[in-house]
Amino acid sequence: MSLFVPPKPAPLPEKPGLLKRARLIARSSLAVLQSGSYAAPGVGRMAVPSVRGRRRWVYQVRDPACARDILVNRAGDFPKGELMGWMLRPLTGDSIFTTNGEVWRRQRRLVDPALEQARVRESFARMREAAETALQGLERSAGPGGAVRVDDAMTVFAADVIFRTIFSEPIAEAEAREAIAAFEAFQDLAYAHGMIGLSGLPGWLMPGTWARMRAGKRLRRVLKRPLDRRLARVAAGEPDLPTDILASLMASRDPETGTGFSPDELLDQVSMLFLAGHETSASGLAWALYLLAEAPDVQARARAEVKAVVGGGSIAFEHMKRLGLVRDVFREALRLYPPVTTVVRECARPEPMGRHQARPGDPLFVAPWILHRLSSVWPNADAFDPDRFDTPEGREAVRQAYLPFSLGPRVCPGAAFALQEATLMLALILGRFELTRDEAWPPPEPVAKLTLRSANGVTVRLTPVSP
């Protein structure tokens, strides 16, 4: 059986000129990663012009052992840098996404049990409501021709899931449009400012800084409205309040200090959950649907699994663990197209990096995009093969070099949530539609800013299947 090999950007020339490299990087961070090898592990470095007069080096980590050392074994020696905090703070505030040290440890002690209490079982019914609403939208959007921009549809779906599971209410259409538009504007500017910021240029000199801050505030306003409604209900002593993620965050207490989150801190953490849970899930689902459309044999087997497990009734939580192939389709989509292509850390002290010596403050780009495609680690590294996760070679590769949710103490706390959300949505779509790529549209073109998307969207043809 031949395996489908989806597109990826070709490696850059050996030494592209500075202006050419700058143009490519301004469009997508994959331009940085393309200078690395898809074949062998290693650590590379790239010079960045600095306004301070001294050349600055950025290190690209594409070695599994080095990545594990940075993210797991010695995570405290490689914090998140202030540049990332400056980029994201207008949206996520001082949340676990940007903080370090004791502030981050306190927040994690509060967030982890809150998400554990709001277990995926308790979230399932709300996820299913959002998925069924999204399915109705797909049926309307498909129309006679059947062609749908599934990346747009999955973005709305993921936003609705976040609202239903955090706030116990669906997102209104106007709020969804406002939130998505604000995030798109924020993402473009935050990414550009991060790349420019590597040169040491002060933020106040960067064009678009105030627009980025306004976009972050717009999205936070969308999230603050339901938060304020809940806080008002609690203050009024209303009985029978929802038991959801927000309720768990509000009730959580730090076992060391006895303190909980203030209202401002709650908004920071909710904004972080929206960024981490909405955009990454939407990206992964869009790529998974594209891959299924290009691999009819895998699609047919996954649909047969859904029919065998679910039958003719409504999908239930108990079905989830039996949808192994559907889940592995999403895991393979995350391997080939990780929503976060680069995990950024910073040296806290001088460190050997490959053949070089990194200085304190030097950025380290740990690259899932390359680690997931190393031909020395992954058999048929560029091919779409969800069955790889059931082989000894595939399981060993996962152990070495699979980090779509990062690794170590800063691993994404919502990984199980995202896997359930995606498995549920894929199962419902497979049960209702046959997917084929719309030949009128070119294949998707991956570009990475804060997250990985397609420059020209992801358009898939949906044809209803017989019940």
Side-chain angles (χ1 to χ4, degrees), residues 410-431:
R410 300 196 80 134
V411 68
C412 174
F417 183 98
L419 284 170
Q420 175 169 284
E421 172 188 6
T423 302
L424 170 64
M425 188 74 252
L426 291 175
L428 287 174
I429 291 174
L430 286 164

Side-chain angles (χ1 to χ4, degrees), residues 52-126:
R52 297 176 182 143
R54 187 178 71 169
R55 186 164 54 175
R56 189 179 191 187
W57 294 101
V58 175
Y59 291 84
Q60 180 196 109
V61 179
R62 52 183 189 274
D63 177 82
C66 186
R68 186 167 290 276
D69 208 35
I70 292 167
L71 299 176
V72 182
N73 302 331
R74 298 177 53 212
D77 294 334
F78 301 99
K80 291 195 174 183
E82 177 52 34
L83 176 60
M84 175 173 284
W86 177 81
M87 287 165 53
L88 298 180
R89 208 167 280 125
L91 173 57
T92 65
D94 291 316
S95 67
I96 61 171
F97 215 79
T98 56
T99 53
N100 288 299
E102 182 51 39
V103 173
W104 173 81
R105 284 188 286 272
R106 171 185 174 268
Q107 292 175 346
R108 197 75 194 229
R109 291 194 297 267
L110 287 162
V111 168
D112 283 354
L115 293 182
E116 172 60 25
Q117 291 163 21
R119 289 180 291 272
V120 289
R121 177 184 285 274
E122 280 67 35
S123 300
F124 181 79
R126 296 185 180 104

Side-chain angles (χ1 to χ4, degrees), residues 346-361:
E346 198 173 84
C347 288
R349 62 190 72 181
E351 294 284 351
M353 283 289 150
R355 297 179 292 106
H356 310 287
Q357 185 78 6
R359 298 178 296 221

Side-chain angles (χ1 to χ4, degrees), residues 293-304:
E294 293 277 23
D297 53 336
V298 175
Q299 182 184 157
R301 288 170 49 219
R303 181 175 297 108

Side-chain angles (χ1 to χ4, degrees), residues 148-230:
V148 175
R149 274 284 302 265
V150 291
D151 53 329
D152 290 345
M154 293 303 100
T155 298
V156 174
F157 161 66
D160 195 21
V161 168
I162 290 294
F163 260 63
R164 291 176 191 260
T165 54
I166 292 180
F167 303 118
S168 295
E169 58 183 75
I171 190 169
E173 183 178 349
E175 285 186 322
R177 287 197 301 268
E178 184 180 358
I180 292 166
F183 180 78
E184 288 297 326
F186 179 85
Q187 168 164 241
D188 287 348
L189 289 167
Y191 167 72
H193 290 160
M195 293 296 102
I196 297 170
L198 292 173
S199 70
L201 185 71
W204 58 272
L205 284 177
M206 295 185 197
T209 292
W210 301 114
R212 173 174 57 87
M213 292 181 176
R214 286 194 299 272
K217 287 178 180 177
R218 281 173 58 202
L219 182 46
R220 284 172 69 90
R221 280 198 298 270
V222 174
L223 299 169
K224 191 173 186 296
R225 291 169 198 148
L227 173 60
D228 286 347
R229 287 195 292 269
R230 178 69 62 84

